[in-house]
């Protein structure tokens, strides 16, 4: 009897594993553009913040290297404007009928199966010059020097992610911040619930950064240093390798929109914690996170009043 029960449990487990694997890719999707099979790729989850596309995509286009290809992915929708942006820039556009970030990520990763270095980016992240080459150089150096096994690397994000506390200290504004918004703890929204409420934190951080490109340049001129993230770092801008993704085996379809604790960030960071994969922050590379969810209207007014902070001049095409 025990043997029969064990067999039934084995069969049930295999059936569950089969459907779990199948559900990871369960969506209709459309691919536009040519996948070139390069060893470096960037995928941007986009489709919901068109007011930032000129800024964010303009920077990506300017800083894209010949060794890297770019994919924009829209979860649960098709956007004609993004399709045209990809055609203009010779990028790949992937759209899915199902609105689930985990599923579209799985689809993209399977399509770009030749990529070894993989950049993941949200559509509200401002990149500095040299971001891609600098992050890969940092990854390779950390991989060589570190006693830990890398899960992924990330830059400094002063707004709400790993690096914010040090940013406040280095800019001599921690006391001012805490007078306005309460005590700041290292970490994201779980440690700082005030991030969930539009209260002026976004404008405060961007004002302290000043002109983004100048602030990022100051960071890039620092000596190379990195540190293991002592807490969940966020995945708005990360770099990982194919081997890490293969170990994860893709993201589970949690039958929601695939974000948050049970979504892409929760699954990736939990895997790192449980499997002893290190999350490293590169301390001399800074990127800009535009705004927390819900704070965009106020930040757009701030951006309109202070265009010099976000300004970016693209080089003239030869």
């Amino acid at each position: 009897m025990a043997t029969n029960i064990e067999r039934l449990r084995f069969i049930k487990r295999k059936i569950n594993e089969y459907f779990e694997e199948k559900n990871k890719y369960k969506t209709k999707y459309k691919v536009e553009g040519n996948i070139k099979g390069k060893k470096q790729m960037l995928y941007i989850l986009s489709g919901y913040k068109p007011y930032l596309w000129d800024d964010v995509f303009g920077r990506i286009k300017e800083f894209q290297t010949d060794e890297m290809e770019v994919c924009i992915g829209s979860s649960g929708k098709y956007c004609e404007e993004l399709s045209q942006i990809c055609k203009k820039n010779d990028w790949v556009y992937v759209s899915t009928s199902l609105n689930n970030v985990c599923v579209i990520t799985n689809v993209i990763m399977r399509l770009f199966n030749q990529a070894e270095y993989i950049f993941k980016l949200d559509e509200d992240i401002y990149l500095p010059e040299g971001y891609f080459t600098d992050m890969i150089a940092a990854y390779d150096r950390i991989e060589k020097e570190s006693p830990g096994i890398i899960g992924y690397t990330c830059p400094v994000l002063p707004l709400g992610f790993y690096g914010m506390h040090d940013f406040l200290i280095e800019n001599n504004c921690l006391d001012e911040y805490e007078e306005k918004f309460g005590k700041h703890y290292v970490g994201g929204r779980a440690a700082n619930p005030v991030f969930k409420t539009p209260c002026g934190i976004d404008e405060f951080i961007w004002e302290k950064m000043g002109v983004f490109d100048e602030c990022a340049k100051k960071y890039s001129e620092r000596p190379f240093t990195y540190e293991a993230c002592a807490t969940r770092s966020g995945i708005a801008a990360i770099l990982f390798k194919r081997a890490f993704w293969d170990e994860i085996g893709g993201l589970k379809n949690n039958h929601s929109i695939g974000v948050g604790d049970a979504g892409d960030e929760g699954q990736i960071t939990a895997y790192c914690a449980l499997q002893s994969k290190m999350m490293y922050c590169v301390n001399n590379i800074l990127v800009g996170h535009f705004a927390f969810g819900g704070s965009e209207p106020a930040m757009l007014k701030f951006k309109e009043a202070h265009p010099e902070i976000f300004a970016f001049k693209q080089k003239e095409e030869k």
Side-chain angles (χ1 to χ4, degrees), residues 55-82:
D55 287 3
V56 172
F57 295 145
R59 288 175 175 273
I60 292 171
K61 178 61 177 176
E62 187 71 17
F63 305 144
Q64 178 185 356
T65 65
D66 293 338
E67 294 77 26
M68 185 182 75
E69 54 187 326
V70 176
C71 173
I72 295 179
S74 293
S75 179
K77 66 188 305 182
Y78 178 87
C79 179
E80 181 62 34
E81 185 176 352
L82 288 177

PDB file of all heavy atoms in Angstrom, residues 55-82:
ATOM      1  N   ASP A  55      12.715  60.262 -23.170  1.00  0.00           N
ATOM      2  CA  ASP A  55      13.892  60.369 -22.298  1.00  0.00           C
ATOM      3  C   ASP A  55      14.609  59.026 -22.161  1.00  0.00           C
ATOM      4  O   ASP A  55      15.818  58.916 -22.407  1.00  0.00           O
ATOM      5  CB  ASP A  55      13.475  60.842 -20.907  1.00  0.00           C
ATOM      6  CG  ASP A  55      13.097  62.309 -20.867  1.00  0.00           C
ATOM      7  OD1 ASP A  55      13.100  62.956 -21.928  1.00  0.00           O
ATOM      8  OD2 ASP A  55      12.806  62.808 -19.770  1.00  0.00           O
ATOM      9  N   VAL A  56      13.869  58.021 -21.742  1.00  0.00           N
ATOM     10  CA  VAL A  56      14.473  56.724 -21.411  1.00  0.00           C
ATOM     11  C   VAL A  56      15.014  56.025 -22.653  1.00  0.00           C
ATOM     12  O   VAL A  56      16.164  55.561 -22.675  1.00  0.00           O
ATOM     13  CB  VAL A  56      13.448  55.829 -20.679  1.00  0.00           C
ATOM     14  CG1 VAL A  56      13.999  54.417 -20.500  1.00  0.00           C
ATOM     15  CG2 VAL A  56      13.098  56.434 -19.325  1.00  0.00           C
ATOM     16  N   PHE A  57      14.211  55.942 -23.702  1.00  0.00           N
ATOM     17  CA  PHE A  57      14.650  55.239 -24.903  1.00  0.00           C
ATOM     18  C   PHE A  57      15.713  56.022 -25.665  1.00  0.00           C
ATOM     19  O   PHE A  57      16.572  55.438 -26.334  1.00  0.00           O
ATOM     20  CB  PHE A  57      13.459  54.940 -25.806  1.00  0.00           C
ATOM     21  CG  PHE A  57      12.468  53.989 -25.201  1.00  0.00           C
ATOM     22  CD1 PHE A  57      11.102  54.115 -25.450  1.00  0.00           C
ATOM     23  CD2 PHE A  57      12.883  52.963 -24.369  1.00  0.00           C
ATOM     24  CE1 PHE A  57      10.193  53.238 -24.886  1.00  0.00           C
ATOM     25  CE2 PHE A  57      11.984  52.090 -23.789  1.00  0.00           C
ATOM     26  CZ  PHE A  57      10.630  52.223 -24.053  1.00  0.00           C
ATOM     27  N   GLY A  58      15.655  57.359 -25.573  1.00  0.00           N
ATOM     28  CA  GLY A  58      16.691  58.166 -26.209  1.00  0.00           C
ATOM     29  C   GLY A  58      18.056  57.877 -25.616  1.00  0.00           C
ATOM     30  O   GLY A  58      19.059  57.775 -26.341  1.00  0.00           O
ATOM     31  N   ARG A  59      18.108  57.726 -24.309  1.00  0.00           N
ATOM     32  CA  ARG A  59      19.370  57.396 -23.646  1.00  0.00           C
ATOM     33  C   ARG A  59      19.836  55.986 -24.026  1.00  0.00           C
ATOM     34  O   ARG A  59      21.025  55.762 -24.276  1.00  0.00           O
ATOM     35  CB  ARG A  59      19.212  57.526 -22.131  1.00  0.00           C
ATOM     36  CG  ARG A  59      19.101  58.965 -21.649  1.00  0.00           C
ATOM     37  CD  ARG A  59      18.818  59.067 -20.154  1.00  0.00           C
ATOM     38  NE  ARG A  59      18.840  60.449 -19.734  1.00  0.00           N
ATOM     39  CZ  ARG A  59      19.925  61.121 -19.352  1.00  0.00           C
ATOM     40  NH1 ARG A  59      21.092  60.479 -19.303  1.00  0.00           N
ATOM     41  NH2 ARG A  59      19.874  62.387 -19.002  1.00  0.00           N
ATOM     42  N   ILE A  60      18.914  55.049 -24.030  1.00  0.00           N
ATOM     43  CA  ILE A  60      19.285  53.679 -24.387  1.00  0.00           C
ATOM     44  C   ILE A  60      19.853  53.618 -25.795  1.00  0.00           C
ATOM     45  O   ILE A  60      20.886  52.976 -26.036  1.00  0.00           O
ATOM     46  CB  ILE A  60      18.070  52.742 -24.248  1.00  0.00           C
ATOM     47  CG1 ILE A  60      17.681  52.585 -22.777  1.00  0.00           C
ATOM     48  CG2 ILE A  60      18.370  51.371 -24.863  1.00  0.00           C
ATOM     49  CD1 ILE A  60      16.377  51.861 -22.554  1.00  0.00           C
ATOM     50  N   LYS A  61      19.193  54.286 -26.729  1.00  0.00           N
ATOM     51  CA  LYS A  61      19.670  54.285 -28.110  1.00  0.00           C
ATOM     52  C   LYS A  61      21.066  54.887 -28.203  1.00  0.00           C
ATOM     53  O   LYS A  61      21.937  54.370 -28.923  1.00  0.00           O
ATOM     54  CB  LYS A  61      18.693  55.063 -29.003  1.00  0.00           C
ATOM     55  CG  LYS A  61      19.131  55.166 -30.461  1.00  0.00           C
ATOM     56  CD  LYS A  61      19.263  53.795 -31.111  1.00  0.00           C
ATOM     57  CE  LYS A  61      19.635  53.913 -32.566  1.00  0.00           C
ATOM     58  NZ  LYS A  61      19.854  52.589 -33.193  1.00  0.00           N
ATOM     59  N   GLU A  62      21.294  55.971 -27.481  1.00  0.00           N
ATOM     60  CA  GLU A  62      22.583  56.660 -27.541  1.00  0.00           C
ATOM     61  C   GLU A  62      23.713  55.811 -26.951  1.00  0.00           C
ATOM     62  O   GLU A  62      24.839  55.821 -27.451  1.00  0.00           O
ATOM     63  CB  GLU A  62      22.492  57.989 -26.773  1.00  0.00           C
ATOM     64  CG  GLU A  62      23.716  58.868 -26.899  1.00  0.00           C
ATOM     65  CD  GLU A  62      23.877  59.477 -28.288  1.00  0.00           C
ATOM     66  OE1 GLU A  62      22.901  59.496 -29.077  1.00  0.00           O
ATOM     67  OE2 GLU A  62      24.996  59.927 -28.586  1.00  0.00           O
ATOM     68  N   PHE A  63      23.402  55.057 -25.906  1.00  0.00           N
ATOM     69  CA  PHE A  63      24.440  54.319 -25.183  1.00  0.00           C
ATOM     70  C   PHE A  63      24.526  52.847 -25.567  1.00  0.00           C
ATOM     71  O   PHE A  63      25.397  52.128 -25.091  1.00  0.00           O
ATOM     72  CB  PHE A  63      24.212  54.435 -23.678  1.00  0.00           C
ATOM     73  CG  PHE A  63      24.125  55.855 -23.177  1.00  0.00           C
ATOM     74  CD1 PHE A  63      23.266  56.191 -22.144  1.00  0.00           C
ATOM     75  CD2 PHE A  63      24.895  56.859 -23.749  1.00  0.00           C
ATOM     76  CE1 PHE A  63      23.184  57.499 -21.684  1.00  0.00           C
ATOM     77  CE2 PHE A  63      24.821  58.177 -23.293  1.00  0.00           C
ATOM     78  CZ  PHE A  63      23.957  58.497 -22.252  1.00  0.00           C
ATOM     79  N   GLN A  64      23.622  52.389 -26.424  1.00  0.00           N
ATOM     80  CA  GLN A  64      23.654  50.986 -26.859  1.00  0.00           C
ATOM     81  C   GLN A  64      24.955  50.692 -27.590  1.00  0.00           C
ATOM     82  O   GLN A  64      25.403  51.462 -28.431  1.00  0.00           O
ATOM     83  CB  GLN A  64      22.467  50.709 -27.777  1.00  0.00           C
ATOM     84  CG  GLN A  64      22.423  49.289 -28.322  1.00  0.00           C
ATOM     85  CD  GLN A  64      21.293  49.088 -29.326  1.00  0.00           C
ATOM     86  OE1 GLN A  64      20.490  49.990 -29.558  1.00  0.00           O
ATOM     87  NE2 GLN A  64      21.237  47.911 -29.925  1.00  0.00           N
ATOM     88  N   THR A  65      25.567  49.559 -27.257  1.00  0.00           N
ATOM     89  CA  THR A  65      26.811  49.158 -27.921  1.00  0.00           C
ATOM     90  C   THR A  65      26.507  48.226 -29.088  1.00  0.00           C
ATOM     91  O   THR A  65      25.418  47.637 -29.172  1.00  0.00           O
ATOM     92  CB  THR A  65      27.749  48.454 -26.935  1.00  0.00           C
ATOM     93  OG1 THR A  65      27.140  47.222 -26.512  1.00  0.00           O
ATOM     94  CG2 THR A  65      28.015  49.327 -25.711  1.00  0.00           C
ATOM     95  N   ASP A  66      27.474  48.048 -29.969  1.00  0.00           N
ATOM     96  CA  ASP A  66      27.298  47.159 -31.115  1.00  0.00           C
ATOM     97  C   ASP A  66      27.164  45.699 -30.688  1.00  0.00           C
ATOM     98  O   ASP A  66      26.633  44.876 -31.437  1.00  0.00           O
ATOM     99  CB  ASP A  66      28.482  47.294 -32.076  1.00  0.00           C
ATOM    100  CG  ASP A  66      28.531  48.656 -32.748  1.00  0.00           C
ATOM    101  OD1 ASP A  66      27.478  49.318 -32.816  1.00  0.00           O
ATOM    102  OD2 ASP A  66      29.628  49.065 -33.187  1.00  0.00           O
ATOM    103  N   GLU A  67      27.669  45.388 -29.493  1.00  0.00           N
ATOM    104  CA  GLU A  67      27.636  44.000 -29.003  1.00  0.00           C
ATOM    105  C   GLU A  67      26.304  43.616 -28.401  1.00  0.00           C
ATOM    106  O   GLU A  67      26.095  42.453 -28.032  1.00  0.00           O
ATOM    107  CB  GLU A  67      28.743  43.804 -27.952  1.00  0.00           C
ATOM    108  CG  GLU A  67      30.161  43.915 -28.482  1.00  0.00           C
ATOM    109  CD  GLU A  67      30.592  45.347 -28.723  1.00  0.00           C
ATOM    110  OE1 GLU A  67      30.043  46.254 -28.048  1.00  0.00           O
ATOM    111  OE2 GLU A  67      31.448  45.563 -29.588  1.00  0.00           O
ATOM    112  N   MET A  68      25.379  44.563 -28.303  1.00  0.00           N
ATOM    113  CA  MET A  68      24.131  44.312 -27.577  1.00  0.00           C
ATOM    114  C   MET A  68      22.904  44.552 -28.451  1.00  0.00           C
ATOM    115  O   MET A  68      22.893  45.459 -29.281  1.00  0.00           O
ATOM    116  CB  MET A  68      24.068  45.246 -26.352  1.00  0.00           C
ATOM    117  CG  MET A  68      22.880  45.006 -25.427  1.00  0.00           C
ATOM    118  SD  MET A  68      22.864  46.195 -24.047  1.00  0.00           S
ATOM    119  CE  MET A  68      22.303  47.666 -24.902  1.00  0.00           C
ATOM    120  N   GLU A  69      21.882  43.720 -28.272  1.00  0.00           N
ATOM    121  CA  GLU A  69      20.599  43.973 -28.910  1.00  0.00           C
ATOM    122  C   GLU A  69      19.555  44.299 -27.846  1.00  0.00           C
ATOM    123  O   GLU A  69      19.707  43.953 -26.674  1.00  0.00           O
ATOM    124  CB  GLU A  69      20.160  42.812 -29.785  1.00  0.00           C
ATOM    125  CG  GLU A  69      20.111  41.457 -29.140  1.00  0.00           C
ATOM    126  CD  GLU A  69      19.835  40.367 -30.162  1.00  0.00           C
ATOM    127  OE1 GLU A  69      19.101  40.620 -31.130  1.00  0.00           O
ATOM    128  OE2 GLU A  69      20.355  39.252 -29.996  1.00  0.00           O
ATOM    129  N   VAL A  70      18.498  44.977 -28.283  1.00  0.00           N
ATOM    130  CA  VAL A  70      17.511  45.518 -27.356  1.00  0.00           C
ATOM    131  C   VAL A  70      16.137  44.958 -27.674  1.00  0.00           C
ATOM    132  O   VAL A  70      15.748  44.826 -28.836  1.00  0.00           O
ATOM    133  CB  VAL A  70      17.478  47.062 -27.430  1.00  0.00           C
ATOM    134  CG1 VAL A  70      16.385  47.628 -26.525  1.00  0.00           C
ATOM    135  CG2 VAL A  70      18.832  47.644 -27.049  1.00  0.00           C
ATOM    136  N   CYS A  71      15.398  44.635 -26.625  1.00  0.00           N
ATOM    137  CA  CYS A  71      14.020  44.160 -26.766  1.00  0.00           C
ATOM    138  C   CYS A  71      13.120  44.939 -25.825  1.00  0.00           C
ATOM    139  O   CYS A  71      13.405  45.065 -24.631  1.00  0.00           O
ATOM    140  CB  CYS A  71      13.942  42.663 -26.437  1.00  0.00           C
ATOM    141  SG  CYS A  71      12.257  42.003 -26.378  1.00  0.00           S
ATOM    142  N   ILE A  72      12.039  45.472 -26.365  1.00  0.00           N
ATOM    143  CA  ILE A  72      10.990  46.074 -25.546  1.00  0.00           C
ATOM    144  C   ILE A  72       9.859  45.064 -25.439  1.00  0.00           C
ATOM    145  O   ILE A  72       9.421  44.493 -26.440  1.00  0.00           O
ATOM    146  CB  ILE A  72      10.465  47.391 -26.151  1.00  0.00           C
ATOM    147  CG1 ILE A  72      11.569  48.449 -26.153  1.00  0.00           C
ATOM    148  CG2 ILE A  72       9.262  47.890 -25.376  1.00  0.00           C
ATOM    149  CD1 ILE A  72      11.147  49.772 -26.757  1.00  0.00           C
ATOM    150  N   GLY A  73       9.390  44.828 -24.224  1.00  0.00           N
ATOM    151  CA  GLY A  73       8.303  43.892 -24.003  1.00  0.00           C
ATOM    152  C   GLY A  73       7.096  44.561 -23.368  1.00  0.00           C
ATOM    153  O   GLY A  73       7.236  45.287 -22.376  1.00  0.00           O
ATOM    154  N   SER A  74       5.924  44.344 -23.951  1.00  0.00           N
ATOM    155  CA  SER A  74       4.682  44.896 -23.405  1.00  0.00           C
ATOM    156  C   SER A  74       3.799  43.753 -22.912  1.00  0.00           C
ATOM    157  O   SER A  74       3.376  42.902 -23.698  1.00  0.00           O
ATOM    158  CB  SER A  74       3.927  45.703 -24.461  1.00  0.00           C
ATOM    159  OG  SER A  74       4.643  46.867 -24.810  1.00  0.00           O
ATOM    160  N   SER A  75       3.535  43.762 -21.632  1.00  0.00           N
ATOM    161  CA  SER A  75       2.747  42.695 -21.019  1.00  0.00           C
ATOM    162  C   SER A  75       1.262  43.020 -21.062  1.00  0.00           C
ATOM    163  O   SER A  75       0.811  44.017 -20.501  1.00  0.00           O
ATOM    164  CB  SER A  75       3.199  42.516 -19.560  1.00  0.00           C
ATOM    165  OG  SER A  75       2.452  41.514 -18.922  1.00  0.00           O
ATOM    166  N   GLY A  76       0.513  42.185 -21.782  1.00  0.00           N
ATOM    167  CA  GLY A  76      -0.940  42.336 -21.815  1.00  0.00           C
ATOM    168  C   GLY A  76      -1.460  43.393 -22.747  1.00  0.00           C
ATOM    169  O   GLY A  76      -2.628  43.775 -22.672  1.00  0.00           O
ATOM    170  N   LYS A  77      -0.616  43.862 -23.665  1.00  0.00           N
ATOM    171  CA  LYS A  77      -1.098  44.882 -24.598  1.00  0.00           C
ATOM    172  C   LYS A  77      -0.161  44.976 -25.798  1.00  0.00           C
ATOM    173  O   LYS A  77       0.980  44.511 -25.748  1.00  0.00           O
ATOM    174  CB  LYS A  77      -1.194  46.251 -23.914  1.00  0.00           C
ATOM    175  CG  LYS A  77       0.157  46.815 -23.510  1.00  0.00           C
ATOM    176  CD  LYS A  77       0.035  48.078 -22.664  1.00  0.00           C
ATOM    177  CE  LYS A  77      -0.782  49.164 -23.307  1.00  0.00           C
ATOM    178  NZ  LYS A  77      -0.838  50.391 -22.501  1.00  0.00           N
ATOM    179  N   TYR A  78      -0.656  45.580 -26.852  1.00  0.00           N
ATOM    180  CA  TYR A  78       0.163  45.901 -28.018  1.00  0.00           C
ATOM    181  C   TYR A  78       0.125  47.406 -28.182  1.00  0.00           C
ATOM    182  O   TYR A  78      -0.945  48.025 -28.194  1.00  0.00           O
ATOM    183  CB  TYR A  78      -0.374  45.229 -29.276  1.00  0.00           C
ATOM    184  CG  TYR A  78       0.407  45.574 -30.525  1.00  0.00           C
ATOM    185  CD1 TYR A  78       1.534  44.852 -30.886  1.00  0.00           C
ATOM    186  CD2 TYR A  78       0.025  46.644 -31.334  1.00  0.00           C
ATOM    187  CE1 TYR A  78       2.270  45.174 -32.024  1.00  0.00           C
ATOM    188  CE2 TYR A  78       0.744  46.971 -32.476  1.00  0.00           C
ATOM    189  CZ  TYR A  78       1.863  46.229 -32.815  1.00  0.00           C
ATOM    190  OH  TYR A  78       2.587  46.561 -33.939  1.00  0.00           O
ATOM    191  N   CYS A  79       1.285  48.014 -28.319  1.00  0.00           N
ATOM    192  CA  CYS A  79       1.373  49.468 -28.426  1.00  0.00           C
ATOM    193  C   CYS A  79       2.020  49.845 -29.761  1.00  0.00           C
ATOM    194  O   CYS A  79       3.192  49.541 -29.999  1.00  0.00           O
ATOM    195  CB  CYS A  79       2.181  50.030 -27.253  1.00  0.00           C
ATOM    196  SG  CYS A  79       2.367  51.820 -27.307  1.00  0.00           S
ATOM    197  N   GLU A  80       1.271  50.487 -30.599  1.00  0.00           N
ATOM    198  CA  GLU A  80       1.762  50.862 -31.922  1.00  0.00           C
ATOM    199  C   GLU A  80       2.957  51.805 -31.822  1.00  0.00           C
ATOM    200  O   GLU A  80       3.911  51.692 -32.605  1.00  0.00           O
ATOM    201  CB  GLU A  80       0.647  51.530 -32.727  1.00  0.00           C
ATOM    202  CG  GLU A  80       1.045  51.938 -34.142  1.00  0.00           C
ATOM    203  CD  GLU A  80       1.460  50.764 -35.018  1.00  0.00           C
ATOM    204  OE1 GLU A  80       0.889  49.667 -34.848  1.00  0.00           O
ATOM    205  OE2 GLU A  80       2.355  50.954 -35.876  1.00  0.00           O
ATOM    206  N   GLU A  81       2.930  52.709 -30.861  1.00  0.00           N
ATOM    207  CA  GLU A  81       4.041  53.652 -30.718  1.00  0.00           C
ATOM    208  C   GLU A  81       5.344  52.919 -30.366  1.00  0.00           C
ATOM    209  O   GLU A  81       6.409  53.231 -30.908  1.00  0.00           O
ATOM    210  CB  GLU A  81       3.727  54.693 -29.640  1.00  0.00           C
ATOM    211  CG  GLU A  81       4.791  55.773 -29.528  1.00  0.00           C
ATOM    212  CD  GLU A  81       4.430  56.862 -28.535  1.00  0.00           C
ATOM    213  OE1 GLU A  81       3.287  56.863 -28.032  1.00  0.00           O
ATOM    214  OE2 GLU A  81       5.306  57.708 -28.251  1.00  0.00           O
ATOM    215  N   LEU A  82       5.259  51.928 -29.498  1.00  0.00           N
ATOM    216  CA  LEU A  82       6.450  51.151 -29.156  1.00  0.00           C
ATOM    217  C   LEU A  82       6.923  50.330 -30.345  1.00  0.00           C
ATOM    218  O   LEU A  82       8.130  50.159 -30.559  1.00  0.00           O
ATOM    219  CB  LEU A  82       6.169  50.236 -27.972  1.00  0.00           C
ATOM    220  CG  LEU A  82       6.018  50.926 -26.609  1.00  0.00           C
ATOM    221  CD1 LEU A  82       5.675  49.909 -25.537  1.00  0.00           C
ATOM    222  CD2 LEU A  82       7.296  51.677 -26.236  1.00  0.00           C
TER     223      LEU A  82
END
